[in-house]
Amino acid sequence: QVQLQESGPGLVKPSQTLSLTCTVSGGSISSGSYYWSWIRQPAGKGLEWIGRIYTSGSTNYNPSLKSRVTISVDTSTNQFSLNLISVTAADTAVYYCARAGPSRSGTYSRWGQGTLVTVSS
Amino acid sequence: DIQMTQSPSSLSASVGDRVTITCQASQDISNYLNWYQQKLGKAPKVLIYDASNLETGVPSRFSGSGSGTDFTFTISSLQPEDIATYYCQQNDNLPLSFGQGTKLEIK
């Protein structure tokens, strides 16, 4: 049973870079045809899709964040990562990593527990 | 971008009631519509995929229907453990997008 776990700083200063890692256990991140994604949720609000990386390494990003976001994968550590530059208070949210696929590329059946990131000085 | 509009935004019902939530897409998404349940402090969990397919292990009291732009999610007999916020999500076009959520409470 594949499990996902987010990790990273819980506090980031404005204008700095938010960096999170999702560790995948119970299966190889490079096997199968999966989309590894980041989704966030500000407190008391809805879900926002940030972007995804495919097993092949190709990426897709939400245009609303595209200029600031990079998602990458490290197969040697079975992890994928999120970098979000130039953060503001509006980026404060619970960040989830999630997996979609293989036959349902946009359906998230595996999620991490989520990690709260606060942007504040 | 495709906008997803859910209604109502909140709902209070009694145990045993039939509960219905609707979701409207801003353009035709065929049947590429999922429904998730999110309990307080937890990650979302997929209940219905491709508009009407029940995810493995999900109780049969949950169901979904619709295609094109209009979709419905139903709980046939509300149980206390169904207290949660429910989200629809389209996976027809990028960026993937979610409805604003429906908070379900027990009377």
Side-chain angles (χ1 to χ4, degrees), chain A residues 49 51-54 56-61 70-73, chain B residues 94:
Chain A
W49 184 80
R52 67 186 187 185
I53 187 164
Y54 188 51
S56 66
S58 64
T59 54
N60 302 107
Y61 300 123
T70 304
I71 297 175
S72 59
V73 65
Chain B
L94 297 180

Side-chain angles (χ1 to χ4, degrees), chain A residues 41 96 104 106-108 112, chain B residues 34 36 38 49 55 87 89:
Chain A
Q41 184 173 38
Y96 294 99
R104 296 177 274 147
T107 301
Y108 291 100
Chain B
N34 302 320
Y36 296 84
Q38 186 179 33
Y49 66 93
E55 181 76 352
Y87 293 94
Q89 176 235 331

